[in-house]
Amino acid sequence: MKHELPVENRVIELISTLQGAGFEAYIVGGAIRDLLLGRRPKDYDISTAATPEEVRNVFGRRSARIIGKRFRLVHVRHGGELFEVSTFRRAPSPESAAVGPDGRKHEELPEHMILSDNSFGTAEEDAWRRDFTVNALFYDPVRSELIDHTGQGIDDIRSGVVRAIGNPRLRFEEDPVRMLRALKLVGQYDFSFDAATENALFAMLPLIRHAAPSRLSLELEKILSSSYGDKHLLAFHDYGLLEYFLPEIDTAWGSPVCEYALNLFNERNCRVAEGIYRNSISLAMATLALPFVEQQCGSPVGTLWKNSPDARAAIAGVLDRLFRPQTMMNRMTLSAERVLQLQALFGEPKSRPEQLMESRSYAHSRELLLIRTAVQEGDVAELERLWPPVGARRRGGRNDGRNAEGEGGGGRRPRRRRHRSRRGKEPES
Ligand code: ATP
Ligand code: MG
């Protein structure tokens, strides 16, 4: 079906390069979903008939790198951006379920769990092995052609329905991470489930324990770097997933400490969505952790060092507990620790902006200071003046919200005491 979608030029170029080399190629996944919902996609996933090696040959080794084991795909650098290009796949055969890449059967895993997903197929087969109808649309931006192989994707996007493709129980057993992905859609877009998918989710939820830890940690990173994290956590809690995913936050749910943490996180997400600050994962971690650190130390974060000699250990302990059982990258945890430690220095009468600005964590720490001041309805403008953005003094430059923290360049909240709804455009990833 002909459909004009506002796709970026470099994506059209990439697709047309693949098509010019003789390979079918489409935009797939979240980008189409977002474009149809009138939102700006955070990134573009590309799917093609070319094998990973063929994709690498088309773009050359300097621009294209094959990655992944369970699911091999190619990272293609084009127009200064990185794109994930995957080859059309078909659903793995039943024999390959619960069999690892080493060919060994894993007895303790659910019978139908998929451990390897590398059987190439056609575009249509590729659509059917995807998780939800709203994620299975293909778009050819060269011909402006929108293809809905399952026949339900466009309607489900219009009516906001999360519907598993095929038998929902089987699809969740094959890959329990799909349940988490389903709830992200519910939280992020305020979608609701079709009945069969919802029933299957309730029945299969405990299988999330069998999901590979590395995949869950990756999901947590994506949640923390998005601007919808508070909405994702709310959906996880409402459906009972949070007790498996982040049990410490689940246990604290509803307490004033957790409410405060979610308010801070919501404020951070609004600021990311508005483009005020970038989507740093370590800042998101620090933001969520701050009220728990205050609780642990029995002292507001601004007076930590005066009142709590063990604050450093408390900060590390809270971060470790809060994000368990997921394992966050060490450098993100260390960065979050520094951001929290610096909060106390903003309250010190002797602290000078010039000194604090020397710290690698100044930009994130300043942002956290502004976030908590905004949530407490304090004078944000005054603090912005008092604590200038990075580079404002040393280079006299414009603040772009970026710093040297070493990370990549970076609703529905009915029960909150305070909720700021978002304005403005979608954030860059
Ligand atoms: P986001 O906007 O968060 O990137 P997304 O839907 O694009 O959302 P990705 O992880 O980028 O999520 O996956 C791209 C596409 O790959 C999905 O839209 C879906 O079609 C397919 N996909 C991803 N994970 C799975 C899975 N576990 N099972 C089946 N299909 C999947
Ligand atoms: Mg995507």
Side-chain angles (χ1 to χ4, degrees):
M1 151 177 141
K2 282 275 173 212
H3 200 106
E4 289 292 337
L5 290 174
V7 175
E8 286 175 35
N9 278 339
R10 53 192 158 186
V11 186
I12 304 177
E13 283 160 21
L14 199 146
I15 300 261
S16 99
T17 305
L18 281 165
Q19 292 180 350
F23 300 106
E24 226 183 317
Y26 303 96
I27 303 169
V28 293
I32 303 303
R33 198 181 63 215
D34 283 334
L35 286 168
L36 286 171
L37 288 168
R39 303 188 185 204
R40 183 174 159 197
K42 73 173 170 53
D43 52 26
Y44 286 87
D45 303 300
I46 314 284
S47 205
T48 176
T51 63
E53 287 72 18
E54 286 167 337
V55 173
R56 191 172 58 189
N57 288 342
V58 171
F59 293 100
R61 282 174 184 269
R62 293 184 64 182
S63 308
R65 203 159 63 90
I66 300 177
I67 60 150
K69 262 194 201 142
R70 178 186 176 279
F71 191 97
R72 286 173 75 233
L73 46 85
V74 191
H75 272 172
V76 177
R77 190 165 285 286
H78 180 71
E81 211 178 309
L82 204 62
F83 294 93
E84 284 195 350
V85 181
S86 58
T87 306
F88 299 145
R89 282 159 168 82
R90 56 185 157 78
S93 61
E95 307 87 66
S96 68
V99 175
D102 56 0
R104 286 187 19 234
K105 187 137 180 92
H106 294 246
E107 301 294 348
E108 70 278 15
L109 294 179
E111 189 184 352
H112 300 291
M113 194 152 158
I114 295 169
L115 302 178
S116 162
D117 189 2
N118 278 318
S119 324
F120 298 143
T122 64
E124 177 154 13
E125 286 170 327
D126 188 83
W128 284 100
R129 62 107 202 147
R130 288 175 184 271
D131 44 11
F132 306 105
T133 55
V134 294
N135 284 349
L137 293 164
F138 284 44
Y139 186 64
D140 177 344
V142 178
R143 296 177 183 78
S144 300
E145 194 83 46
L146 181 63
I147 307 165
D148 187 357
H149 286 293
T150 71
Q152 286 178 297
I154 296 173
D155 285 347
D156 283 343
I157 286 192
R158 285 205 184 112
S159 41
V161 172
V162 180
R163 185 192 312 273
I165 297 174
N167 176 337
R169 281 182 173 241
L170 182 62
R171 301 310 308 281
F172 290 151
E173 190 184 337
E174 284 173 353
D175 180 5
V177 177
R178 287 177 186 148
M179 293 187 276
L180 183 146
R181 293 175 53 80
L183 288 171
K184 279 172 71 180
L185 292 171
V186 167
Q188 179 162 336
Y189 300 107
D190 218 355
F191 281 2
S192 42
F193 281 115
D194 90 296
T197 305
E198 186 168 57
N199 290 337
L201 186 124
F202 281 129
M204 311 306 269
L205 207 55
L207 287 187
I208 196 76
R209 289 200 195 93
H210 295 289
S214 59
R215 291 190 60 212
L216 291 177
S217 298
L218 205 66
E219 285 298 340
L220 181 56
E221 280 173 24
K222 286 209 274 178
I223 288 164
L224 292 175
S225 75
S226 84
S227 61
Y228 298 101
D230 52 318
K231 296 184 174 63
H232 294 150
L233 295 188
L234 178 62
F236 293 175
H237 175 263
D238 283 353
Y239 279 84
L241 181 97
L242 198 61
E243 68 176 272
Y244 301 100
F245 189 57
L246 294 172
E248 185 88 6
I249 296 184
D250 190 61
T251 306
W253 200 270
S255 69
V257 171
C258 193
E259 286 279 296
Y260 181 30
L262 292 170
N263 279 339
L264 291 172
F265 195 30
N266 172 254
E267 177 67 29
R268 175 267 187 193
N269 291 334
C270 290
R271 290 173 68 93
V272 171
E274 286 165 23
I276 297 174
Y277 199 74
R278 70 194 176 97
N279 51 354
S280 151
I281 294 175
S282 61
L283 175 61
M285 291 170 73
T287 303
L288 267 171
L290 184 140
F292 293 90
V293 170
E294 291 184 333
Q295 183 189 39
Q296 169 102 18
C297 296
S299 158
V301 75
T303 60
L304 272 188
W305 306 121
K306 264 189 235 125
N307 302 335
S308 331
D310 295 332
R312 196 176 290 267
I315 289 172
V318 166
L319 284 169
D320 182 48
R321 279 201 330 264
L322 218 55
F323 298 105
R324 250 197 220 162
Q326 314 318 328
T327 39
M328 302 306 292
M329 266 192 257
N330 226 353
R331 72 185 160 82
M332 288 173 190
T333 309
L334 290 174
S335 168
E337 278 178 29
R338 284 195 301 269
V339 171
L340 285 162
Q341 286 163 11
L342 268 192
Q343 294 308 299
L345 298 184
F346 285 110
E348 275 291 318
K350 278 184 279 174
S351 290
R352 295 279 164 269
E354 293 76 10
Q355 287 167 332
L356 256 60
M357 282 168 86
E358 293 301 318
S359 161
R360 281 173 73 192
S361 299
Y362 175 78
H364 287 352
S365 304
R366 171 183 184 273
E367 177 66 8
L368 181 54
L369 173 74
L370 301 179
I371 289 170
R372 62 186 167 93
T373 307
V375 166
Q376 288 159 2
E377 293 172 15
D379 191 345
V380 176
E382 167 67 4
L383 282 175
E384 280 180 330
R385 197 186 53 74
L386 222 57
W387 301 99
V390 171
R393 293 215 170 165
R394 265 175 301 181
R395 294 193 301 273
R398 179 182 66 89
N399 174 45
D400 62 356
R402 285 163 203 269
N403 76 340
E405 271 294 298
E407 283 181 29
R412 194 170 69 109
R413 292 275 305 278
R415 287 184 246 131
R416 298 288 133 70
R417 279 171 298 157
R418 176 184 183 281
H419 168 64
R420 187 148 91 79
S421 58
R422 60 190 58 230
R423 284 173 267 135
K425 62 179 171 43
E426 292 295 292
E428 301 261 344
S429 169

